[in-house]
Amino acid sequence: MTAKIIDGKQIAADMRAELKAEVAKLKDKGIVPGLAVILVGEDPASQSYVTAKEKACAEAGIYSDDNRLPEDTTQEKLMALVERMNKDARINGILVQLPLPGHLNEWEVLFAIDPAKDVDGFHPVNVGKMVVGEKGFLPCTPHGVIQLLIRSGVKLEGAEVVIVGRSNIVGKPLANMLIQKNKKGNATVTVCHTRTKDLASHTRRADIVIAAAGRPNTVTADMIKDGAVVIDVGVNRVEDATKKKGYRLVGDVDFEAVKEKASFITPVPGGVGPMTITMLLYNTVESAKRAAGIA
Ligand code: GUN
């Protein structure tokens, strides 16, 4: 079987067009959703993510407040900026790009964000709401994965899902979302990680394999059953002298071999990646509607 490629770029473009139309309607009511983006330091990958987030905001008609701070920014300065954004009525979402430089206390900063503006879904109030199935903000990458599956017609109810990776940003929240008793859940979920004894014995049983380990070739063709759905959340730079930048991006899945066996597969780039920013825009619009009392 040759897999159908799940086109994350196209699905993201469709959702962004829906959001853009919604933002235009909100503007007629005098509501302009606003996102504060905070980046500390010079990490090139973080800089390009943040630039992409701001560009996506502009395209959707969302106001974005760009805050790029030097590497040696103090905890006090950063906390003061978060406080200012918490109070700023133009701002519906606050995004602090992670990782922060080592001298800063990441948890203290994330906890300081008003949960009602926590469009990343990282604040413990929103994590708790997600776990018990209450409305808060869902984290963008795992929510994007679920949207890709639903919009590709993949049935989640009763599906055996194996997640490879237990990070706070992807693996753990994804497992929580997929076991919820609702339309985005009802799956049976196994979470595998670096201490799992026999990874292949788990992935081979799976109807849906989600790779979020952060290591190339973690999922190979012999590890999946015929017709499985394979979602690749990995983004890894591998050296490639034929590329201008000297590297290329690969996921966690051996794409070329696995696509001959799977029923659906996401590419890297162009799979999950474009969905993360899309769900950030979605959360920001949702936050603006809640602030205006219309959601
Ligand atoms: N760094 C890597 N992924 C993310 C994300 O989804 N949100 C934030 N704030 N930082 C990140």
Side-chain angles (χ1 to χ4, degrees):
M1 171 179 268
T2 300
K4 190 168 179 297
I5 310 288
I6 296 178
D7 186 347
K9 263 199 215 160
Q10 186 59 52
I11 294 172
D14 293 346
M15 286 192 76
R16 289 186 202 190
E18 290 165 24
L19 285 166
K20 187 174 179 169
E22 194 170 4
V23 169
K25 274 196 202 145
L26 289 173
K27 276 192 185 145
D28 292 340
K29 297 192 174 92
I31 300 162
V32 181
L35 176 71
V37 179
I38 302 173
L39 170 64
V40 185
E42 312 288 331
D43 178 65
S46 291
Q47 283 176 333
S48 66
Y49 288 138
V50 160
T51 301
K53 285 167 185 175
E54 287 164 352
K55 185 164 163 265
C57 278
E59 281 166 10
I62 294 171
Y63 162 69
S64 77
D65 185 339
D66 181 16
N67 298 270
R68 299 194 186 213
L69 309 178
E71 183 84 23
D72 62 357
T73 298
T74 62
Q75 185 78 14
E76 291 67 34
K77 265 234 160 98
L78 184 54
M79 296 292 282
L81 177 59
V82 169
E83 270 316 310
R84 192 147 55 75
M85 293 302 158
N86 279 343
K87 291 192 187 111
D88 189 332
R90 292 169 304 174
I91 298 300
N92 305 108
I94 301 170
L95 179 135
V96 179
Q97 185 65 27
L98 303 179
L100 288 171
H103 67 282
L104 294 170
N105 182 339
E106 207 158 270
W107 281 111
E108 194 185 17
V109 175
L110 294 181
F111 287 11
I113 295 171
D114 179 349
K117 297 189 177 187
D118 170 39
V119 287
D120 254 333
F122 292 165
H123 191 286
V125 164
N126 285 316
V127 176
K129 285 183 174 176
M130 172 189 67
V131 171
V132 298
E134 281 294 311
K135 197 165 104 172
F137 288 111
L138 295 174
C140 301
T141 302
H143 194 194
V145 167
I146 291 177
Q147 288 298 322
L148 280 182
L149 290 166
I150 291 172
R151 287 172 183 249
S152 302
V154 175
K155 190 164 166 244
L156 294 174
E157 188 172 321
E160 291 280 348
V161 179
V162 171
I163 299 170
V164 186
R166 56 176 157 183
S167 69
N168 290 334
I169 293 185
V170 185
K172 279 187 217 163
L174 193 48
N176 270 293
M177 289 158 72
L178 286 168
I179 60 169
Q180 293 299 323
K181 197 170 187 174
N182 64 29
K183 282 188 295 194
K184 293 177 187 170
N186 286 328
T188 302
V189 179
T190 304
V191 182
C192 297
H193 47 74
T194 44
R195 297 291 193 276
T196 295
K197 274 194 203 140
D198 182 358
L199 177 60
S201 71
H202 295 281
T203 55
R204 277 190 201 117
R205 290 188 297 105
D207 302 311
I208 303 173
V209 175
I210 303 172
R215 193 175 58 109
N217 286 316
T218 301
V219 174
T220 50
D222 58 304
M223 293 170 67
I224 67 151
K225 74 175 177 187
D226 280 323
V229 174
V230 180
I231 304 292
D232 193 349
V233 188
V235 185
N236 307 294
R237 286 184 180 191
V238 295
E239 273 184 40
D240 186 341
T242 69
K243 303 280 175 199
K244 236 194 324 198
K245 291 180 176 166
Y247 67 86
R248 71 194 147 86
L249 294 181
V250 299
D252 291 351
V253 174
D254 177 5
F255 179 81
E256 288 305 324
V258 171
K259 86 174 183 340
E260 299 306 325
K261 217 170 164 192
S263 58
F264 288 90
I265 189 167
T266 60
V268 176
V272 174
M275 293 303 287
T276 297
I277 296 182
T278 306
M279 302 321 292
L280 175 70
L281 303 179
Y282 174 90
N283 280 348
T284 305
V285 172
E286 178 68 22
S287 180
K289 288 180 356 192
R290 289 181 200 169
I294 54 172

